[in-house]
Amino acid sequence: SEARCARVCAGTTRRGQTTWNDVNSKGGKLNLSVDISSCGFVKVPTVTTSVEGRLNHHRATGLAAVYRTTTSSFEMYVESMRANPTNGNAESWGWNVEWVAVGYIC
């Protein structure tokens, strides 16, 4: 049955272990690709995200926006003009992603 195939899978990019990619350092834009392949989805899941950290994540936009979701990964683009997270700042502020994916494994 369909219910038997449904799965909720959750994870984190881990505090102190998340490496963000600078997209536009002047504009304060970052990108992050998150691996969800261990969930075993066979169809593209629905993904919900939250960004956690010690400083300035409350000033950022795009924290819940998910892009290019596949059965094995998704991407995020985060931007902040008031507190520029590029050039290693997001890492020093402890920004990491907590995520929940809901999808099918059969």
Side-chain angles (χ1 to χ4, degrees):
S1 76
E2 211 171 271
R4 174 179 63 81
C5 294
R7 170 179 263 181
V8 176
C9 185
T12 178
T13 60
R14 303 186 67 187
R15 294 179 185 138
Q17 296 184 28
T18 304
T19 302
W20 296 85
N21 303 303
D22 292 355
V23 174
N24 180 341
S25 57
K26 240 184 183 171
K29 293 181 184 176
L30 299 173
N31 164 271
L32 180 68
S33 182
V34 179
D35 181 358
I36 61 170
S37 59
S38 63
C39 296
F41 293 120
V42 295
K43 294 181 181 175
V44 175
T46 299
V47 178
T48 303
T49 62
S50 179
V51 174
E52 185 227 13
R54 289 186 307 279
L55 291 170
N56 295 317
H57 53 295
H58 68 285
R59 297 177 182 225
T61 59
L63 303 180
V66 176
Y67 296 88
R68 294 191 250 306
T69 305
T70 70
T71 56
S72 59
S73 67
F74 67 88
E75 290 185 30
M76 296 178 67
Y77 290 85
V78 176
E79 179 176 9
S80 180
M81 294 298 289
R82 293 186 63 203
N84 193 329
T86 61
N87 300 315
N89 287 334
E91 288 86 353
S92 69
W93 297 336
W95 289 14
N96 66 97
V97 177
E98 313 297 332
W99 55 268
V100 177
V102 180
Y104 293 96
I105 58 169
C106 57

